[in-house]
Amino acid sequence: MITILNLKGLRINERNHLEIGGCDCVDLVQQYGTPLYVMDEDVIRNNCRTYKKALDKYYSGDGMVLYASKAFCTLAICRIAAQEGLGLDVVSGGELYTAKMARFPMDRVYFHGNNKTPEELKMAVELGVRRIVVDNAEELEVLDFIASECGRITEISFRIKPGIDTHTHEYIKTGKVDSKFGISMENGEAFDAVKAALAMKNVRLVGFHCHIGSQIFDIEPFKLAARVMLDFISEIKTRFGFEAQELNLGGGFGVRYVEGDESVDYDEFIKEVAAVVEDICKDRQISLPFLVLEPGRSIVAPAGITLYTVGNVREIKDVRKYVSIDGGMTDNPRYALYRAKYEILLANRSCDEPCEKVTVAGKCCESGDIIAKDVMLPRVKRGDILAVLTTGAYNYSMSSNYNRLPRPAVVLVKDGKSRIIVKRESYDDIIRNDVLPEDL
Ligand SMILES: *Cc1c(COP(=O)(O)O)cnc(C)c1O
């Protein structure tokens, strides 16, 4: 059985080749070389629209869907998100700079991060981002000072730890979450921070944010987070007479990587979360907040594939068969980091029946440099083209130059046409910042 996970935009054509966005992968490889990231523009745009439409349709208050750019951050994707009417979640000066250079509207940019540097905060204040999501009390102090230096009043929200732990599919409400992100509700920290913010002159508190995790398939933790956050907002209103205008429930919606994974109906997710928010607001007599959601992975992961050329194929008798590719943990570190699983197929002989179990290994000097362990493939030989599916998120954005491997190009495909959105790095790029001191 050949599975392509019912991924939109992918099909196997008459030449027995994998096709993405109407482009034959073998042709793409001939034109651009390997390793190659390929992203399907229609899939990205459709995913943006699904979220935006669902929020517009099901939530009677106002709101905004932000694309969490850390999943895949380049000029082109920022431009697409802007065109689709999404906002942008950035977590560093580099991501913010990318947004700026893509001319992303700053009044739709949210700046996150658990340790923003003073320089990054200054940059965000000066660029006039819509919201700085303050992580902790110390950052609040620093930001108030920076905002005063810049002569600007900056609108903020607080990142709150709602005390919800998501463990794969199970969730448990924990007394206290050990996390480097955000301020805690249980120990009163959050109340102190709100009090401090309300007394400040250069920051204006607008609302609250939480992000309970990533790759979550179950709707219940999101509903619970909404409940906990709205209870908190209600409590803050009682204590301080301050009613938050914004509730940001973060991202983390699950993505199907392999056959065994569930698939998530994002439309239904938003519908249920919106209903919970409306119910609780009515119950607590608080006005409907501006509702923000921040999907990253689920927008870009299913849109991307990575193409590799097979090199050495070697069988270690009675142990396993290794298929080596011309990339690896440098362009996809997710197996090394999380033992992440991927669906893999032969892009040049896509209908051939899988008949042997192999381990796909990268070319880096690390035994952990694996892309997939024990996957079924047709008999693979040198020169074949492997396609790893669902690599649109946290692959390019986590890539490195380990072993001085140049980063692959990224190609955007649509209606049978392809465009480069990130150039392949050259060896000169690799040594670009190296300096040979004259006296050396
Ligand atoms: C990572 C992150 C997201 C996006 O998470 P996904 O799993 O990619 O949807 C959203 N918000 C915040 C604050 C994050 O850190």
Side-chain angles (χ1 to χ4, degrees):
M1 245 286 286
I2 298 111
T3 66
I4 49 177
L5 296 171
N6 296 322
L7 282 165
K8 293 204 182 71
L10 289 186
R11 70 174 201 114
I12 294 165
N13 66 20
E14 317 67 47
R15 294 158 78 193
N16 196 8
H17 295 171
L18 181 66
E19 208 176 88
I20 176 168
C23 294
D24 186 305
C25 288
V26 177
D27 295 342
L28 288 174
V29 166
Q30 257 159 20
Q31 189 174 353
Y32 302 103
T34 53
L36 184 69
Y37 297 111
V38 188
M39 305 282 288
D40 186 321
E41 184 175 339
D42 285 339
V43 174
I44 299 172
R45 288 188 187 275
N46 281 332
N47 290 340
C48 293
R49 285 170 203 172
T50 299
Y51 278 110
K52 190 169 160 32
K53 266 195 209 143
L55 191 61
D56 289 348
K57 184 159 124 202
Y58 299 121
Y59 188 58
S60 24
D62 286 331
M64 198 191 292
V65 176
L66 314 180
Y67 166 59
S69 70
K70 70 176 192 268
F72 176 71
C73 187
T74 72
L75 294 175
I77 184 77
C78 288
R79 181 60 59 81
I80 289 172
Q83 287 170 348
E84 293 301 330
L86 267 58
L88 201 71
D89 152 354
V90 298
V91 295
S92 71
E95 288 179 357
L96 182 54
Y97 184 74
T98 309
K100 176 186 139 149
M101 297 312 279
R103 293 196 296 279
F104 199 97
M106 285 298 148
D107 60 0
R108 284 193 260 151
V109 173
Y110 282 61
F111 190 26
H112 288 275
N114 72 302
N115 187 24
K116 306 172 193 78
T117 65
E119 294 74 23
E120 286 174 326
L121 287 170
K122 184 158 183 271
M123 183 178 170
V125 170
E126 282 177 350
L127 286 175
V129 299
R130 177 181 169 90
R131 193 79 64 249
I132 296 181
V133 182
V134 173
D135 187 85
N136 54 69
E138 205 172 311
E139 182 175 296
L140 180 68
E141 300 276 340
V142 177
L143 179 59
D144 185 53
F145 177 75
I146 287 170
S148 82
E149 296 249 287
C150 296
R152 293 222 183 172
I153 292 170
T154 296
E155 295 198 335
I156 64 157
S157 56
F158 273 119
R159 174 155 184 169
I160 302 290
K161 279 189 256 198
I164 295 163
D165 235 348
T166 54
H167 286 303
T168 52
H169 298 252
E170 280 295 299
Y171 71 91
I172 45 166
K173 192 165 184 278
T174 54
K176 190 166 185 254
V177 183
D178 177 8
S179 165
K180 69 171 184 174
F181 298 104
I183 47 178
S184 171
M185 256 189 284
E186 299 101 66
N187 61 11
E189 203 176 40
F191 296 105
D192 295 343
V194 169
K195 201 170 162 194
L198 291 174
M200 282 177 174
K201 290 202 183 64
N202 308 293
V203 297
R204 197 172 82 80
L205 181 60
V206 176
F208 299 99
H209 164 266
C210 70
H211 173 71
I212 53 176
S214 202
Q215 193 56 350
I216 301 165
F217 290 92
D218 189 357
I219 181 74
E220 291 307 321
F222 285 102
K223 292 207 263 191
L224 183 58
R227 188 171 295 280
V228 170
M229 293 296 285
L230 286 163
D231 281 346
F232 176 73
I233 286 174
S234 166
E235 172 77 20
I236 292 283
K237 187 181 172 189
T238 312
R239 282 204 199 185
F240 303 107
F242 164 77
E243 189 171 291
Q245 299 145 36
E246 180 172 285
L247 173 61
N248 181 340
L249 292 174
F253 311 102
V255 163
R256 188 158 184 249
Y257 283 95
V258 290
E259 271 283 278
D261 290 342
E262 295 169 53
S263 49
V264 174
D265 181 347
Y266 305 114
D267 182 85
E268 181 64 26
F269 250 59
I270 307 302
K271 183 179 176 182
E272 291 193 33
V273 169
V276 167
V277 171
E278 291 187 18
D279 276 0
I280 303 170
C281 286
K282 205 167 170 192
D283 193 54
R284 301 280 190 285
Q285 295 184 314
I286 45 181
S287 38
L288 283 182
F290 187 87
L291 188 60
V292 182
L293 295 166
E294 306 174 322
R297 184 194 306 273
S298 50
I299 287 183
V300 285
I305 65 170
T306 311
L307 299 173
Y308 302 96
T309 303
V310 173
N312 298 315
V313 179
R314 42 184 303 227
E315 174 132 35
I316 304 175
K317 208 170 173 311
D318 301 327
V319 181
R320 67 176 69 246
K321 188 165 186 174
Y322 282 100
V323 169
S324 294
I325 50 167
D326 54 354
M329 63 189 289
T330 40
D331 56 76
N332 183 359
R334 294 190 66 255
Y335 181 86
L337 277 171
Y338 319 111
R339 299 284 174 271
K341 289 201 168 79
Y342 286 97
E343 208 75 49
I344 299 188
L345 49 91
L346 272 187
N348 57 324
R349 292 188 279 122
S350 303
C351 280
D352 289 12
E353 208 50 43
C355 60
E356 58 179 1
K357 198 187 260 183
V358 300
T359 289
V360 177
K363 62 187 264 101
C364 297
C365 300
E366 285 287 325
S367 308
D369 177 22
I370 301 284
I371 294 295
K373 211 169 192 167
D374 298 334
V375 287
M376 290 300 292
L377 284 178
R379 197 161 302 282
V380 184
K381 51 184 199 315
R382 173 175 280 273
D384 276 333
I385 297 160
L386 278 193
V388 180
L389 310 186
T390 333
T391 57
Y394 304 110
N395 272 236
Y396 174 73
S397 66
M398 285 185 154
S399 63
S400 78
N401 289 124
Y402 178 53
N403 286 161
R404 299 232 127 177
L405 299 190
R407 284 187 182 78
V410 187
V411 168
L412 191 67
V413 293
K414 180 183 162 66
D415 300 333
K417 296 200 178 66
S418 59
R419 288 171 286 173
I420 285 269
I421 57 168
V422 179
K423 286 191 281 188
R424 183 178 300 284
E425 284 179 345
S426 66
Y427 290 138
D428 279 327
D429 290 328
I430 295 284
I431 59 161
R432 188 180 47 205
N433 293 324
D434 288 13
V435 176
L436 260 181
E438 276 181 24
D439 57 350
L440 202 68

